[in-house]
Amino acid sequence: MNELAPRPAWSIPFVARRLGVGLAIGSAIAAAAALLLWITGAYRLDAIELRAPPLIVLGLPLFAWLEELIFRRLLLDWMARWWGRTTGLLISSLIFGGVHAMNPGGLSLAAVVGVSLAGLWLGQLYLQHRRVVACTAAHLAWNAVLGPVF
């Protein structure tokens, strides 16, 4: 019942393409989410401030990589092997959303659903590329755009 495709070999072009894809998709979706919230009046943009504490900026790539390693490479892979891709993707995304309920402002149904949907998106990106490179880059871009930028 193994529905997972084999992992592609590492190479500089492979990593570069997936980093580019992840950064582009993550930035675009985060900006679109902020725009949608702004249009509906749920978000007010006074000014874009690109200043953030250096420790946060340095930690963003590490935390994005660790979360993708845990939730996609380990949890999603394990669940997909046992229960299939769709079930594994759904359950790991719900767990991802639930864990993020501990974030500041994350303990609401809307926040958990939103992060769970992001988990679906990141999980599908992982399943498509079979490496955490693209989903880590997308996760990093999402965090960077919605955190230090918006």
Side-chain angles (χ1 to χ4, degrees), residues 75-99:
L75 187 62
L76 175 55
D77 258 2
W78 179 78
M79 290 183 165
R81 288 188 201 295
W82 279 94
W83 298 314
R85 286 172 58 123
T86 303
T87 303
L89 183 59
L90 289 172
I91 293 173
S92 66
S93 297
L94 288 172
I95 293 170
F96 183 71
V99 167

Side-chain angles (χ1 to χ4, degrees), residues 26 30 60 63-64 67 100 137-149:
L60 284 176
F63 292 128
E67 285 188 14
H100 281 82
H139 194 147
L140 171 61
W142 172 271
N143 288 348
V145 169
L146 289 183
V149 176

Side-chain angles (χ1 to χ4, degrees), residues 37-103:
L37 291 171
W38 177 72
I39 288 170
T40 62
Y43 177 73
R44 195 176 98 213
L45 180 62
D46 295 326
I48 294 176
E49 186 174 326
L50 295 176
R51 292 183 297 146
L55 190 56
I56 289 175
V57 173
L58 293 174
L60 284 176
L62 176 63
F63 292 128
W65 175 73
L66 285 173
E67 285 188 14
E68 293 310 308
L69 188 65
I70 292 166
F71 287 100
R72 261 47 87 185
R73 175 67 178 98
L74 299 175
L75 187 62
L76 175 55
D77 258 2
W78 179 78
M79 290 183 165
R81 288 188 201 295
W82 279 94
W83 298 314
R85 286 172 58 123
T86 303
T87 303
L89 183 59
L90 289 172
I91 293 173
S92 66
S93 297
L94 288 172
I95 293 170
F96 183 71
V99 167
H100 281 82
M102 294 182 278
N103 287 356

